[in-house]
Amino acid sequence: MDGEIADLRSVCDLAEKYDALVLVDDSHATGFLGATGRGSIEHRGVDGRVDLITTTFGKALGGASGGCVAGRKELVRWLKQKARPYLFSNTVPPAVVGGTLEALRIAARSTVLRDALAANARRFRTGMEKAGFDLKPGEHPIVPVMLKDEKLAVAMAEALLRKGIYVIAFSFPVVPRGAARIRVQLSASHSQEMIDRCVAAFAEAGRELGALG
């Protein structure tokens, strides 16, 4: 929800010290974080130190459904017998499997899309901060615009929709009380003009609703 990237080096250090297993849900990192898009494990330099990785075939990979658990074969074999989502779910449609495999090949073959995504996130963050908005710091393309007040967050989302910008307001109990925000998710397919228009719409709506000084 905050676009934060876990300090996996410290997590793995603790796990090794206390003989614990490490599981990382990398659904918001697979395909675009890391030098080759292998997620937060590669991004934090802890390859080979994480025991289980769960992730989705949606989000950055663009699939309509499905996901996976990756890890040592002993753990995967155990999960095949014990994991309820595996035991009681349908198989992934072949078209989704084919699309996912191709998306993985594209992600591994080139950094062009990842570079564009990182540049778009930086451009949006810079523009929003210059406009006076309070953002959660970070480098992730999930950018929380902190509005604090729940009614204001909903009103802001509605105002932006009228201006042609579709965003979702999040408030309690999805986020802590008093931490209402609009979560913006940047894409590699966004143009600079789209990002600038979004920032301008935010600024205009912010002034109309008294969210900016």
Side-chain angles (χ1 to χ4, degrees):
M1 189 60 68
D2 290 338
E4 295 176 347
I5 304 171
D7 180 4
L8 290 179
R9 284 185 182 273
S10 296
V11 171
C12 290
D13 289 345
L14 284 170
E16 290 164 5
K17 179 178 179 180
Y18 294 103
D19 194 26
L21 298 178
V22 177
L23 182 152
V24 176
D25 177 1
D26 228 24
S27 296
H28 289 88
T30 298
F32 65 91
L33 280 187
T36 62
R38 293 175 179 270
S40 58
I41 290 90
E42 181 179 52
H43 183 75
R44 292 301 195 197
V46 292
D47 303 75
R49 301 179 66 191
V50 173
D51 301 284
L52 284 169
I53 302 168
T54 65
T55 193
T56 177
F57 295 155
K59 295 185 170 58
L61 297 181
S65 65
C68 70
V69 177
R72 297 201 309 272
K73 62 182 180 181
E74 296 87 355
L75 291 172
V76 172
R77 189 182 299 123
W78 183 81
L79 286 171
K80 283 182 177 180
Q81 301 300 320
K82 298 289 185 179
R84 290 176 63 85
Y86 178 83
L87 293 172
F88 299 104
S89 64
N90 295 322
T91 55
V92 180
V96 173
V97 173
T100 300
L101 290 173
E102 183 59 24
L104 289 169
R105 282 191 283 267
I106 291 171
R109 200 162 49 223
S110 170
T111 66
V112 171
L113 292 175
R114 285 193 297 281
D115 293 344
L117 178 59
N120 285 347
R122 287 193 299 270
R123 187 179 187 90
F124 180 76
R125 286 180 178 275
T126 299
M128 289 292 284
E129 288 173 346
K130 186 177 180 180
F133 284 99
D134 177 20
L135 306 183
K136 284 275 188 177
E139 56 186 306
H140 200 285
I142 291 177
V143 184
V145 181
M146 304 304 295
L147 297 166
K148 309 292 195 305
D149 182 84
E150 297 174 0
K151 290 183 179 179
L152 175 60
V154 172
M156 179 74 79
E158 292 173 347
L160 286 165
L161 185 58
R162 290 193 294 271
K163 298 176 188 300
I165 305 297
Y166 178 57
V167 291
I168 299 294
F170 289 88
S171 57
F172 181 84
V174 179
V175 296
R177 199 180 297 278
R181 83 280 305 272
I182 288 176
R183 189 177 72 166
V184 179
Q185 295 166 244
L186 279 302
S187 166
S189 63
H190 288 139
S191 67
Q192 292 184 356
E193 291 75 17
M194 290 176 180
I195 294 169
D196 294 345
R197 186 165 74 87
C198 181
V199 171
F202 259 100
E204 185 178 346
R207 288 191 293 270
E208 292 171 356
L209 295 170
L212 296 175

